[in-house]
Amino acid sequence: MSPLTLQQKDGTKTNLLDFCKSIIIPCWLNPLLLNGHLQTTWTVVKSTDPPVYYKRKVFEAECPAYSGTFAVDFVVPPHTDTNPTLPPRTINFTDEELGNIGSDDGKPMLVTLHGLTGGSQEAYLRHLLHALYIEGWEACVVNARGCALSKITSGKLFNARATWDLRQLVKWLRKTFPNRPLFAIGYSLGGCILVNYLGEEGDRCLLDAAVVCSNPWNLDVGSMALQRSWLGLNAYSKSMASDLKGLFERHFEQLSKNPRLDVDKVRAIETLHLVTPSWLSAFLYSRYTLRTIHMGGHLGWFERPFSGGNGRWFAKTVRLARSLQELLMSRTRLLDSSKQWRVRLTSPTAKRNVASGWKEQKMSFVEMLHLIQ
């Protein structure tokens, strides 16, 4: 299967693979963080992160099967208002602001999905959102139910296949901002949700392009890999379990109403075991490109000093985003289709994990190899 063919503004022909190769900036990682474990640890230690300001809108789920509410934080200009019930630099939209929130402008807009138990306050989100805001983009963060100090109002929470809130938001954005190119980026578990959304929507997808970072392609395989090492089991797995238990305790009053929930067993959990694989529709293979680096940790990619990008390589993807925007605004088309093309970039932590994930799912990874830089 050949990579997606594109026609550029000047009329020359290229393909998705060559296009991405030409605009992705090289990654020069910090030599002092000499392995993935140090890179991952530094995401917790590093504290000098750019401030991003938000206003929150709470959505009521439209589909009865996924009842409840979810909070979306929109990036806004700096403000001095505070709300002690919300994360730092975050306040709610006023009723008047929500009534006038729609716009016919053509600004590019990014939808962001965070990792397990994270939220709009996460540093790795703010590095990219800050850079894009300076470039004139609009952006928002979909907070998983109960995360970022949002409330849980039903028994329906989130998992790697929880695409329902993202789907509702994208439809709302397309209706509310009809002229904006819509992009999305997902990190870790948010990447899993985004990939599943893309696969489920197929040609009906309302996004123009998407990027996923550090997402496990097969959670079963990733979980077994964590259990095979002391560090994976006693550091990473325990840390994720602790974060989830903290979320449980924060929402104990609501969650304990579930008669099927054994509170004592939940509190006794020490490690996390991941299930539910991500999947991609076969017909989308030619519309993906895969960028891998030999290390970088989980949501790390800290570069050497003075390399730009606020110290994180993936923050430099603002260059890729601008290039995609220019192609979309110039009405670039598929040479073999009248439909506007969509690009989806994937950036997992390690190539071997991706390969093993596809093998375990009995999907053809060979068809993807020619897309890897």
Side-chain angles (χ1 to χ4, degrees), residues 39-102:
Q39 284 272 338
T40 302
T41 302
W42 197 246
T43 62
V44 180
V45 175
K46 191 175 186 296
S47 59
T48 55
D49 302 308
V52 174
Y53 296 80
Y54 300 102
K55 287 190 177 181
R56 174 168 294 187
K57 173 177 170 57
V58 178
F59 288 80
E60 183 77 33
E62 296 176 343
C63 180
Y66 309 118
S67 63
T69 59
F70 62 98
V72 180
D73 293 338
F74 291 78
V75 178
V76 296
H79 56 77
T80 57
D81 299 327
T82 60
N83 186 329
T85 67
L86 299 179
R89 298 180 296 277
T90 305
I91 59 175
N92 290 310
F93 278 112
T94 65
D95 292 339
E96 182 179 358
E97 288 172 328
L98 288 175
N100 298 300
I101 198 172

Side-chain angles (χ1 to χ4, degrees), residues 180-193:
R180 289 183 179 178
L182 288 182
F183 303 87
I185 186 169
Y187 298 89
S188 194
L189 183 69
C192 293
I193 294 173

Side-chain angles (χ1 to χ4, degrees), residues 102-256:
S103 174
D104 291 328
D105 67 59
K107 295 180 179 180
M109 183 157 196
L110 181 71
V111 179
T112 311
L113 294 92
H114 59 79
L116 182 71
T117 72
S120 58
Q121 76 280 2
E122 296 295 333
Y124 56 84
L125 300 187
R126 290 188 279 118
H127 273 286
L128 181 59
L129 294 179
H130 184 265
L132 288 174
Y133 176 76
I134 293 175
E135 292 288 329
W137 282 55
E138 300 289 340
C140 64
V141 180
V142 188
N143 294 300
R145 300 187 183 193
C147 294
L149 299 181
S150 63
K151 295 181 180 179
I152 291 177
T153 56
S154 75
K156 185 66 67 175
L157 302 180
F158 64 91
N159 56 54
R161 293 293 297 273
T163 58
W164 40 82
D165 293 343
L166 174 61
R167 180 173 292 103
Q168 178 176 331
L169 174 66
V170 171
K171 289 180 179 178
W172 182 86
L173 290 173
R174 186 58 78 189
K175 180 180 179 180
T176 307
F177 308 105
N179 297 323
R180 289 183 179 178
L182 288 182
F183 303 87
I185 186 169
Y187 298 89
S188 194
L189 183 69
C192 293
I193 294 173
L194 180 53
V195 165
N196 279 306
Y197 168 77
L198 298 174
E200 291 169 2
E201 292 297 292
D203 278 341
R204 301 185 307 274
C205 185
L206 299 177
L207 295 173
D208 294 298
V211 178
V212 293
C213 302
S214 283
N215 59 300
W217 291 103
N218 188 310
L219 294 176
D220 294 322
V221 173
S223 180
M224 289 187 289
L226 285 177
Q227 296 175 55
R228 283 196 295 266
S229 71
W230 182 92
L231 195 62
L233 185 63
N234 292 281
Y236 299 135
S237 185
K238 282 190 175 182
S239 177
M240 289 187 289
S242 177
D243 290 342
L244 279 173
K245 288 165 65 176
L247 194 66
F248 170 78
E249 295 295 345
R250 191 176 305 127
H251 299 283
F252 176 79
E253 182 177 355
Q254 175 66 30
L255 295 176
S256 60

Side-chain angles (χ1 to χ4, degrees), residues 1-41:
M1 186 178 296
S2 301
L4 188 67
T5 305
L6 307 173
Q7 181 171 306
Q8 302 183 89
K9 290 187 294 184
D10 59 4
T12 59
K13 299 178 183 179
T14 185
N15 61 61
L16 176 58
L17 176 60
D18 291 337
F19 169 73
C20 291
K21 281 183 177 181
S22 68
I23 61 176
I24 293 179
I25 298 174
C27 179
W28 303 102
L29 296 179
N30 191 321
L32 298 179
L33 303 175
L34 48 82
N35 60 43
H37 298 305
L38 291 176
Q39 284 272 338
T40 302
T41 302

Side-chain angles (χ1 to χ4, degrees), residues 320-355:
L320 172 60
R322 285 200 302 268
S323 300
L324 290 174
Q325 176 195 358
E326 291 174 359
L327 280 173
L328 289 171
M329 296 302 287
S330 66
R331 299 182 182 276
T332 301
R333 303 281 178 170
L334 288 175
L335 295 184
D336 58 350
S337 172
S338 61
K339 296 181 179 180
Q340 187 169 319
W341 66 277
R342 299 186 178 97
V343 182
R344 298 178 181 94
L345 274 179
T346 59
S347 179
T349 303
K351 187 183 303 183
R352 62 180 180 275
N353 291 343
V354 180

